[in-house]
Amino acid sequence: MDQHALNVLDFSKIKDILNGFASSALGQETIAELYPFTNAYTIRDSLSEVTEMVKLYQSHQAPSFDGIYDVRQPLRKSSLSGAMLDPAEILLIGETVTAARRIRSAAKRSNIDTPRINRYIDRLSIHQEIEDALSRVFDDQKNIRDTASRDLSKIRKSLRNQRTIIVRRLEKLIRGDWRDSLQENYHTLREGRYVLPVDARYQNKVPGIIHDRSSTGTTVFMEPLELVNDSNHLKSLVREEEMEIRRILCQLTELIAASELDLSQNLTLFAHLDFVAAKARFSIRYEMNEPKIKDERVLSLVNARHPLLLIKHGRDNVVPLNLTLESEASGLIITGPNTGGKTVILKTVGVLALMAQSGLHIPADANTELPVFESMGADIGDEQSLEQSLSTFSSHIQTIRNLLDRANSKSLVLLDELGSGTDPAEGGALSCAILEHLQKKNALYLATTHLQELKVFAYKTDGVENGSMEFNLQSLQPTYKFNIGLPGKSNAISIAGRLGLPQEVIERANSTIASEGESPEELLTRLGDELRSASSLRAEAERERSKAYNLKNDSEQRLNKARREAHEVIKRAENKSQNLIKELERRITQLAHQEADYKREWAEKLALVAETSRAALPKSITKEAEKILQKTKDAFKQNQVKPIAKIENKFKQQRNWKWNQLKPGVLVQIEGMSEPGKIISVQPDRKQVEISVSSMTLRMKGELIVAVLQEKPNPAEKLFSQVKVDRPDTIEHKVDIHGMTVEEMTPIIEKYIDQAFLAGVRSVTIVHGHGMGILRRTVRTMLRDNPVVRHINPGMDFEGGTGVTVVQLKSSR
C-alpha cells in the first residue's frame, strides 16, 4: 500500500482518533502499527472480530479491560538472577494477572456467540497462586501487611513498642526539664531519629545532639542524649524490617519469574483484545457498520460519509454518498463546479477502503460492498515542491508516474483535477492517455476534472462512467449530491454573473460560446437529457412491470392462501365434528352411568326414609308412602339406561316452536345431535343462539333447532312433596376433593350438595385444585345439571381462583 496514498487520505488521523478509544498502552501500541491487509480472509476475520465485540458491548456483556498494564519490562527484570521487583512493579503485574481471570470469567458468563473473540480469551493464562500470594502480602491500600510473614509480624510489634517508649519519654521531657528551652511543645523526626524543636538560645543548656536547623536559624532540632540508645535500637529494628520486606519481595519476584512466559503471552493477547475493543467502541460511537468484502471487483457505497467530516460536523450535517461501480467497470470521471465536493468523493472512497481493509467498521450502511485492493495510489491536492524546484504540474506528473508503475488489476487509483496546471488541450490529451494506460492494466480509477475531453472519453469508452456533482444556481451553493451516469458543468459563466461580474463581460462570454456552435459539453448535456428521458421511461416501464409482477404474485399468494385456509377449515371442521361426536358419545355414556348411580342411591334413600318413618307415622300415611315408593321404584325400572343406539328420549317434544320460546335455560333438540342443549343466549335479529351441549358451548343458527323440549317430571318429586325428610342442622360450607379421582369424588360431591341443600345453605365452596383441570371440569359438569344448583362460578383470587368452584344453591325452605 503506497505510503503517499495513506498520507493524502488522512489514514493517520483515523488512527489517532481510534487511539483515543484504547484502554491500555498495549492497545495503543497495536493501533500505532495498524496497516491495511490485502488478504480477503484476514480482512473478513478482522471485521467479524469487531462485530462480535460490538454485540458484547450492546448487550452489556463486554469484558472490562481496566487493570491491564504494560509490564513487559518488569517481567524481563524478574527473570534476571538475584532480581527483586519493587512493590509498585509487583502490584502492576498482580493487577494484570487479575485482569486475565476477570476477562475469562466474563466470557464464561456471556450468552453471546463470539468464537473469534473467545479464541483469544481462552488462551489467557490464569495464575491464582500469584493472586493469592499478593493478597497475603499486600492489603487493600497496597501496603505490605504485618502478617506477610511471622518474622515481619514480630519485628513490627517490636517497632511499635519501641516507638511508644521513645514517644512517652519525649512527652515527659516536653512537660519537664526541656519545657523552657523549646520553641513549641511537639516532637518530630529528622533523618529517622526523634528530635525536639529547641530555641537556639538554649541549645547549650540541654544535653542533646543537633540533627537539623530551621531556615531562620532560630530553632535547632535536637535528639536528647538519654534517648540515643533507644533511637539506636529503633534504627536497628527498622533495618531488620527492611531486610525482611526485601526477602518477601524476592520470593514474590521468583514466583512471577516462574510464570514469565505465560504472563508475556497474556500481554500479547491483551494488546489484541484491547485493540479490537477500541475498534468496537469507535464503531458504536459513530454508528458504523461492517461492510461486505467481495472477491470480485464490486464497489458499492450506500449512504457513506467521510469519517473526519462525520466526526467534525455530525451525521445529519454530512450529505451521504451513494456510488456503485459493477465488476466490469474500470473507471469513473467526476465533473462539476469547484467546491462542489468532487475531491471529497475521492477521499471518501479511498479512506473507507483503507478502513475496511484495516479491519475497521465504516460509516456506511451494512449492505455496502467493497473489493480488496492490493495497492492504492492517490494524486490529490496541490503538492508543489519548493525543495525540488518542482511546479504543481511537475509534482502531479511525478506522483502519477509512480502510481502508473505500480498499477495492476488489484489497484485503486484516485486522481484529483487530472490534466490541470497546463494547457487545456495538451492536458486533455495527456489525461486521456493516462486513463487508457490504466485501463490496459485493468486498474480501477476515479478521476475528477473540468476538461471536456475527459467527459467525452467517459461517454465513448466502455466500462467508464460519467458522474457529476449537483450545484444550486439560485443560491450559488453546492448540494454535495452525487449523480452517476451524467457529466457535470462547471457553470463558470453563470456563477461569475451572479457574483457581480459586469453584464457585458458575461454576455460577451456567452456570445463567444454560441459562435463556436454546440460544444462537447452541450452535446453531452443534450445526450444526458436524452439518457435521463430514456432512463425515466425505462424506470417507468420497470415500475409497471414490477407492479404487474407483484400483482400476479399477490393474486397467486391470495389464491394459494385461500386454498390453504379452505383446506384448513374443512380439516378443522372434520376434526371438530369427529371430536364432538366422540365427546358426546363419551358424555352420554358417562351420564347414563351417573343416572343409574343416581337412581340406585335415591332408591336406597327413599327406602331408608320410608323405613324410618314407618314407626313414627300413622299407618295410613305409612301405607301411602309405601305405595308412592313402589311407584317410584317401578318408574326407575322403566327408565333404566339403554345403549346409545337405542336410548329413549326423556323429553316431550313441542313442535312448531317460536322465537319467543327461546330463552336462557330452555332445553332444545339440535339437528344431528342426540343430546339436548341448554340455551345460554339468544340473538333474534341475527337468527343465532348460543347453546351449551355437554361441556361445550356452541354458537349456531336458530334454524338448526328441531324442537323446544320440556323435561319430564321427576317421579321422586311427588314422593318428597308428600314425605317429610329430616334436614341436617349444620353442614360445613367447604368440601375438599383435592387429589381424589373422579370415581372417588363423585359420590362425595353428590351427597354434599344434597345435604347442603337440605340444610338450607345458600353458598358452598368445592376445593378441587388446578392440576390438569379434570376434577374442575367434571365437578362443574355435574353441578350444571343438578336441579338444586342455581349458579356456579370460579373463586375469587383470595378464595383460591380457578382452584375452587363456588356453588350458589336454590332455597329448600
Side-chain angles (χ1 to χ4, degrees):
M1 202 66 67
D2 181 29
Q3 185 61 44
H4 177 75
L6 296 178
N7 292 337
V8 299
L9 292 173
D10 297 320
F11 186 63
S12 61
K13 292 183 180 179
I14 302 298
K15 291 168 59 174
D16 290 341
I17 296 170
L18 177 62
N19 192 69
F21 289 92
S23 298
S24 69
L26 295 170
Q28 292 174 344
E29 185 176 297
T30 307
I31 292 171
E33 298 171 355
L34 180 61
Y35 195 79
F37 302 109
T38 56
N39 179 275
Y41 174 81
T42 304
I43 294 169
R44 293 190 187 103
D45 191 62
S46 298
L47 289 169
S48 297
E49 286 179 356
V50 180
T51 301
E52 288 181 1
M53 190 66 80
V54 166
K55 291 179 181 178
L56 288 174
Y57 275 111
Q58 291 176 339
S59 62
H60 305 289
Q61 299 183 49
S64 171
F65 294 97
D66 294 336
I68 296 176
Y69 299 96
D70 183 4
V71 291
R72 287 173 292 185
Q73 181 61 30
L75 286 176
R76 286 192 292 267
K77 177 181 173 182
S78 69
S79 61
L80 299 176
S81 177
M84 184 193 77
L85 299 176
D86 62 44
E89 293 172 325
I90 293 175
L91 287 169
L92 289 180
I93 292 174
E95 290 194 34
T96 306
V97 169
T98 302
R101 176 178 53 79
R102 188 178 61 248
I103 292 172
R104 284 279 296 271
S105 299
K108 290 180 180 179
R109 293 193 301 270
S110 173
N111 57 9
I112 305 297
D113 187 25
T114 55
R116 292 174 178 81
I117 298 298
N118 288 343
R119 69 186 175 192
Y120 292 97
I121 293 178
D122 292 343
R123 290 165 57 196
L124 289 172
S125 300
I126 307 301
H127 291 277
Q128 192 63 47
E129 72 282 3
I130 295 178
E131 289 191 67
D132 293 342
L134 297 186
S135 178
R136 288 193 298 269
V137 172
F138 296 98
D139 60 19
D140 294 339
Q141 285 72 42
K142 312 303 181 186
N143 298 316
I144 296 178
R145 300 178 186 270
D146 293 351
T147 56
S149 72
R150 288 185 179 180
D151 290 344
L152 183 62
S153 178
K154 293 178 181 178
I155 293 169
R156 286 188 170 174
K157 183 177 180 181
S158 298
L159 275 170
R160 285 192 292 271
N161 292 337
Q162 187 64 20
R163 287 192 178 100
T164 300
I165 292 171
I166 293 173
V167 168
R168 285 176 179 173
R169 297 186 65 180
L170 285 170
E171 291 175 349
K172 184 178 180 181
L173 290 173
I174 292 172
R175 295 191 301 270
D177 297 344
W178 289 50
R179 179 180 55 190
D180 297 332
S181 303
L182 299 177
Q183 286 278 21
E184 295 184 55
N185 296 332
Y186 71 90
H187 61 81
T188 185
L189 286 170
R190 287 293 186 273
E191 299 178 358
R193 304 184 77 88
Y194 284 92
V195 295
L196 294 173
V198 177
D199 191 324
R201 294 174 296 174
Y202 304 114
Q203 60 182 335
N204 296 324
K205 294 183 179 181
V206 289
I209 302 171
I210 298 175
H211 288 282
D212 196 7
R213 292 179 181 273
S214 66
S215 58
T216 61
T218 59
T219 303
V220 294
F221 296 94
M222 299 181 65
E223 178 184 10
L225 286 176
E226 60 185 281
L227 296 181
V228 169
N229 290 334
D230 289 331
S231 296
N232 288 341
H233 182 53
L234 179 64
K235 198 79 171 179
S236 176
L237 290 173
V238 169
R239 282 196 296 271
E240 290 181 23
E241 179 189 33
E242 291 173 351
M243 292 177 63
E244 180 60 19
I245 289 175
R246 182 180 179 85
R247 187 189 66 81
I248 293 170
L249 295 179
C250 285
Q251 285 184 341
L252 292 178
T253 301
E254 291 176 2
L255 181 63
I256 291 171
S259 303
E260 182 208 351
L261 292 178
D262 286 347
L263 298 179
S264 297
Q265 183 187 31
N266 278 3
L267 295 180
T268 302
L269 297 172
F270 283 148
H272 185 78
L273 288 170
D274 189 26
F275 171 53
V276 175
K279 292 195 286 186
R281 290 192 286 267
F282 183 38
S283 173
I284 294 170
R285 173 63 180 81
Y286 296 108
E287 302 178 31
M288 300 185 185
N289 291 291
E290 176 186 350
K292 294 180 174 63
I293 303 301
K294 310 295 289 185
D295 292 322
E296 63 273 16
R297 195 171 72 182
V298 175
L299 176 64
S300 178
L301 300 180
V302 183
N303 292 326
R305 293 170 173 85
H306 193 288
L308 298 182
L309 292 179
L310 173 64
I311 294 170
K312 182 178 180 180
H313 300 291
R315 174 173 295 274
D316 295 337
N317 297 319
V318 179
V319 178
L321 170 64
N322 290 279
L323 186 156
T324 298
L325 294 175
E326 300 296 342
S327 56
E328 63 274 9
S330 57
L332 173 66
I333 306 298
I334 306 172
T335 51
N338 290 325
T339 70
K342 300 189 298 297
T343 304
V344 172
I345 289 182
L346 296 187
K347 288 194 170 187
T348 300
V349 173
V351 76
L352 294 192
L354 291 175
M355 289 176 65
Q357 290 187 210
S358 300
L360 292 169
H361 285 184
I362 63 173
D365 287 1
N367 53 343
T368 291
E369 299 177 339
L370 291 170
V372 177
F373 299 110
E374 292 181 355
S375 66
M376 187 179 298
D379 177 39
I380 299 176
D382 293 333
E383 300 180 47
Q384 186 173 15
S385 174
L386 298 178
E387 292 81 2
Q388 301 179 23
S389 300
L390 295 176
S391 67
T392 300
F393 177 75
S394 299
S395 178
H396 283 305
I397 293 301
Q398 194 171 75
T399 301
I400 292 173
R401 182 197 66 188
N402 293 332
L403 63 86
L404 287 179
D405 291 339
R406 292 190 295 270
N408 57 41
S409 61
K410 294 288 188 178
S411 297
L412 174 64
V413 178
L414 305 172
L415 302 170
D416 190 29
E417 297 296 347
L418 184 61
S420 62
T422 187
D423 177 74
E426 292 185 1
L430 182 60
S431 299
C432 290
I434 290 171
L435 298 184
E436 287 176 352
H437 185 78
L438 288 173
Q439 281 199 276
K440 288 179 182 179
K441 290 198 168 188
N442 198 26
L444 179 64
Y445 60 85
L446 281 72
T448 67
T449 186
H450 287 283
L451 299 176
Q452 295 181 3
E453 288 84 353
L454 290 183
K455 301 176 185 179
V456 176
F457 173 82
Y459 189 81
K460 292 166 55 178
T461 307
D462 291 338
V464 183
E465 293 282 353
N466 262 310
S468 61
M469 304 303 298
E470 288 186 1
F471 191 85
N472 190 325
L473 287 175
Q474 300 300 319
S475 63
L476 295 180
Q477 295 293 325
T479 65
Y480 302 110
K481 292 183 179 179
F482 174 74
N483 294 314
I484 195 167
L486 297 174
K489 296 179 64 177
S490 297
N491 296 305
I493 298 176
S494 299
I495 294 174
R498 297 220 175 242
L499 291 176
L501 207 64
Q503 186 62 30
E504 57 184 274
V505 175
I506 300 302
E507 292 175 355
R508 175 58 180 165
N510 284 325
S511 63
T512 301
I513 291 178
S515 65
E516 293 177 356
E518 188 175 37
S519 66
E521 188 176 65
E522 290 174 335
L523 174 62
L524 289 174
T525 300
R526 183 165 55 81
L527 291 174
D529 292 340
E530 294 176 359
L531 177 62
R532 278 193 294 269
S533 178
S535 298
S536 177
L537 292 174
R538 183 170 65 251
E540 182 64 26
E542 180 64 24
R543 284 195 295 271
E544 292 298 326
R545 186 195 69 79
S546 178
K547 286 169 60 177
Y549 178 77
N550 292 336
L551 184 60
K552 175 177 175 293
N553 282 348
D554 186 58
S555 299
E556 291 179 351
Q557 291 175 2
R558 288 175 180 271
L559 180 59
N560 291 334
K561 181 179 180 182
R563 288 172 177 169
R564 287 195 302 270
E565 290 179 349
H567 179 73
E568 290 293 330
V569 169
I570 294 172
K571 187 176 180 179
R572 286 198 301 269
E574 291 177 350
N575 292 337
K576 188 174 182 179
S577 62
Q578 291 295 327
N579 294 334
L580 181 61
I581 291 171
K582 291 179 181 179
E583 176 64 20
L584 288 174
E585 290 177 348
R586 184 194 66 77
R587 180 64 184 144
I588 291 171
T589 302
Q590 181 183 8
L591 290 175
H593 289 306
Q594 290 178 357
E595 185 176 3
D597 292 338
Y598 294 159
K599 290 176 180 178
R600 184 176 62 256
E601 184 175 348
W602 279 108
E604 293 173 356
K605 290 180 179 178
L606 292 172
L608 178 62
V609 169
E611 187 69 28
T612 55
S613 303
R614 184 175 286 115
L617 298 175
K619 291 185 178 180
S620 59
I621 297 177
T622 303
K623 290 181 179 180
E624 184 62 25
E626 289 176 349
K627 290 179 182 179
I628 295 172
L629 177 61
Q630 186 60 44
K631 289 181 181 180
T632 302
K633 290 182 178 178
D634 294 340
F636 281 140
K637 289 180 180 179
Q638 293 176 2
N639 289 311
Q640 288 297 316
V641 178
K642 297 179 177 59
I644 294 175
K646 299 178 180 180
I647 188 169
E648 296 180 358
N649 193 342
K650 62 176 180 176
F651 299 97
K652 293 180 180 179
Q653 296 188 357
Q654 295 180 356
R655 301 293 182 180
N656 301 322
W657 59 270
K658 297 181 181 180
W659 276 100
N660 57 9
Q661 294 178 266
L662 303 183
K663 298 178 180 179
V666 173
L667 295 175
V668 294
Q669 186 68 44
I670 305 168
E671 183 179 345
M673 294 187 181
S674 57
E675 272 295 295
K678 182 181 291 185
I679 294 178
I680 298 175
S681 63
V682 182
Q683 295 178 315
D685 55 332
R686 301 179 65 178
K687 303 298 183 183
Q688 288 185 348
V689 292
E690 189 175 8
I691 298 177
S692 173
V693 181
S694 294
S695 59
M696 296 172 294
T697 300
L698 305 176
R699 187 183 295 277
M700 61 180 63
K701 295 182 178 179
E703 61 190 28
L704 295 178
I705 297 176
V706 175
V708 176
L709 305 176
Q710 183 175 357
E711 194 171 1
K712 289 182 178 181
N714 193 329
E717 292 178 359
K718 185 176 180 181
L719 173 63
F720 283 105
S721 66
Q722 300 181 36
V723 180
K724 183 177 181 180
V725 180
D726 292 336
R727 302 175 182 269
D729 295 331
T730 60
I731 188 169
E732 292 289 337
H733 285 237
K734 179 183 292 186
V735 62
D736 190 347
I737 60 170
H738 183 265
M740 296 184 183
T741 63
V742 173
E743 290 76 12
E744 292 171 343
M745 71 87 183
T746 300
I748 293 174
I749 293 300
E750 292 172 347
K751 184 176 180 180
Y752 174 71
I753 293 298
D754 292 342
Q755 291 178 343
F757 172 71
L758 294 174
V761 177
R762 303 302 297 273
S763 175
V764 296
T765 301
I766 300 175
V767 181
H768 43 65
H770 297 280
M772 298 178 65
I774 297 174
L775 285 181
R776 181 181 68 249
R777 290 193 295 271
T778 304
V779 166
R780 294 179 182 177
T781 300
M782 292 171 56
L783 297 177
R784 194 176 292 117
D785 298 331
N786 195 309
V788 303
V789 174
R790 183 185 303 277
H791 295 295
I792 57 173
N793 295 295
M796 303 296 288
D797 290 342
F798 65 87
E799 294 175 316
T802 57
V804 303
T805 296
V806 178
V807 186
Q808 303 293 332
L809 299 176
K810 297 178 182 178
S811 175
S812 63
R813 298 179 179 178

